[in-house]
């Protein structure tokens, strides 16, 4: 009786983006763990217990879910988007590495989901159509100096940049500082995409130029994509513009 | 009568990873365009026409699908994985930008899917659990020198690296050269993950150390993830090891 733990990606906030594999994993669970707004997206099923916790309690949630599964239960931990991208799968692995031997014996399944950058990119065209970097702007778990180094490396090497966790109440200045830093590498007209609540009633997507981007466009739930020098905007009469990064790069920049 | 074009991500090769949104877009189409092996994954529906083309004919396929939609038809172009990641969405945008005005008037929808790096990462743990770069190794559309610059920038800044298109018949040496270059930045024990055919009968996932990684592990359909200095391997008795990148980085490396 080794127990089973599934770490399940819900995708963006609508059942149309939940894969059948994720739905089956949720249906098979005896107990569900997760951040309350994510649990609220999962249909209620008779006999399932629910254990909601705060967004900042990932390590405690991981340990509680693993301990429960190690008792022989079938447990699912839910993540918005994909559990492997700045979400619960890494927290579960960290807990397994430092936890009791019985946690390593668990049958662990990770069910991928549509992560925010894919959902936002699809709404505007193909901004991630060429090489890109994916970076969390949160300096809760890494030094701000490292984030600056990575922004510099990514922008100067010509990567498009997808930014998760741009802003929070405890981190009010970091996004503005990141945008300022990127202005040192990229032309003022570089497209910047802000997307939040994709596929939900309050969905909001906007495209601005780097010179006018500011922190007022972003909150905790916003995903930001900053284009490269190659990223292009196609105006369309009566429709929102398309933003894409071409597949071809003709020359190495100086 | 402006026509409609959907660019649809099929995810990895199994219907369990096809979202309801993608399934609905496929069902609503009058005509389907795509690389033949991707079209073969779509259930046959009465009255739909199919237009299969070769993998290397992305631009011609994009133009044909757009021209067909501009006649007022409901057309879907299928992509494996996510259409926005080294796939058809960028080819469609390129064609729209250089094509007739009527193509800009089309109702264009891009339906995201589970891209290969998410599917492969989920099979082994959470290797993409921290900052990462996503890079195509194909030098068909960009100079090899630029790929080298980006590998250097990504590895030296501590990003995990996901590599698409590592090898093809026409590009036999590039993957070996990329691995050699990364050995100059990363410890010999750095985990390298090779994944192909996720969720298909011939699924194959392996984890090796950077010092022993070689081109024999990869083919055209392989997705490769090269860890950072932070990426860890957890041995499990009787189970395959977990590979993950912790959420926290304590210090900036020299």
């Amino acid at each position: 009786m080794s127990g089973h733990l599934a770490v399940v990606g819900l995708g963006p906030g609508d059942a149309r983006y939940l894969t059948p594999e994720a739905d089956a994993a949720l249906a098979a669970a005896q107990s569900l763990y997760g951040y309350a707004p994510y649990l609220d997206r999962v249909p209620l099923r008779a006999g399932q217990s629910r254990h909601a916790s705060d967004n900042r309690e990932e390590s405690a949630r991981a340990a509680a879910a693993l301990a429960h599964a190690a008792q022989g239960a079938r447990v699912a931990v839910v993540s918005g988007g994909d559990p492997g991208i700045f979400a619960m799968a890494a927290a579960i692995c960290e807990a397994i590495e430092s936890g009791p031997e019985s946690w390593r014996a668990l049958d662990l399944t990770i069910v991928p989901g549509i992560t925010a950058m894919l959902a936002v990119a699809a709404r505007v065209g193909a901004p991630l159509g060429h090489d890109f970097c994916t970076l969390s702007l949160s300096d809760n778990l890494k030094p701000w100096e490292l984030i600056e180094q990575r922004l510099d490396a990514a922008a100067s090497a010509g990567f498009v940049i997808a930014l998760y966790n741009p802003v929070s109440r405890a981190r009010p200045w970091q996004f503005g500082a990141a945008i300022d830093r990127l202005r040192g590498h990229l032309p003022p007209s570089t497209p910047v995409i802000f997307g939040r609540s994709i596929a939900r009633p309050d969905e909001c997507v906007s495209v601005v130029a780097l010179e006018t981007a500011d922190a007022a466009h972003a909150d905790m739930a916003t995903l930001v994509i900053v284009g490269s020098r190659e990223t292009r905007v196609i105006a369309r009469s009566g429709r929102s513009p398309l933003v894409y990064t071409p597949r071809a790069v003709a020359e190495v920049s100086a």
Side-chain angles (χ1 to χ4, degrees), chain A residues 35-244:
Chain A
Y35 176 45
Y38 297 150
L39 280 181
D40 288 346
R41 292 194 207 159
V42 181
L44 287 168
R45 291 181 173 97
Q48 277 184 338
S49 66
R50 288 181 175 232
H51 309 266
S53 46
D54 189 77
N55 207 9
R56 285 161 298 182
E57 293 172 7
E58 292 186 338
S59 297
R61 181 189 310 138
L66 284 159
H68 194 158
Q71 292 165 16
R74 207 165 174 90
V75 174
V77 174
V78 300
S79 262
D82 179 83
I85 308 296
F86 306 119
M88 283 305 297
I92 294 284
C93 290
E94 288 167 22
I96 289 173
E97 188 171 19
S98 61
E101 184 61 32
S102 62
W103 292 3
R104 299 188 186 212
L106 286 171
D107 184 7
L108 174 69
T109 307
I110 296 164
V111 182
I114 308 283
T115 186
M117 66 181 171
L118 302 187
V120 171
R123 282 295 197 254
V124 299
L128 305 178
H130 195 65
D131 303 335
F132 63 95
C133 289
T134 306
L135 187 61
S136 169
L137 270 194
S138 170
D139 57 351
N140 290 341
L141 295 170
K142 64 188 167 191
W144 179 252
E145 188 190 351
L146 180 63
I147 296 173
E148 290 182 331
Q149 279 183 8
R150 290 181 180 173
L151 290 169
D152 290 346
S156 59
F159 287 102
V160 171
I161 302 173
L163 297 172
Y164 282 70
N165 307 318
V167 178
S168 78
R169 270 181 222 106
R171 294 182 292 105
W173 57 266
Q174 283 82 343
F175 179 68
I179 288 292
D180 277 347
R181 197 152 190 110
L182 292 173
R183 285 189 184 118
H185 294 282
L186 295 165
S189 63
T190 305
V192 180
I193 301 148
F194 294 87
R196 75 186 306 286
S197 301
I198 300 299
R200 282 183 279 179
D202 57 335
E203 172 172 322
C204 182
V205 178
S206 60
V207 180
V208 305
L210 182 59
E211 63 189 330
T212 61
D214 73 51
H217 293 103
D219 67 7
M220 254 187 341
T222 306
L223 185 283
V224 183
I225 299 174
V226 180
S228 72
R229 288 172 181 274
E230 309 288 333
T231 305
R232 302 183 59 77
V233 177
I234 309 176
R236 297 187 298 172
S237 154
R239 297 190 183 277
S240 58
L242 289 175
V243 185
Y244 81 102

Side-chain angles (χ1 to χ4, degrees), chain A residues 129-130 244-249:
Chain A
H130 195 65
Y244 81 102
T245 308
R247 298 166 299 155
V249 182

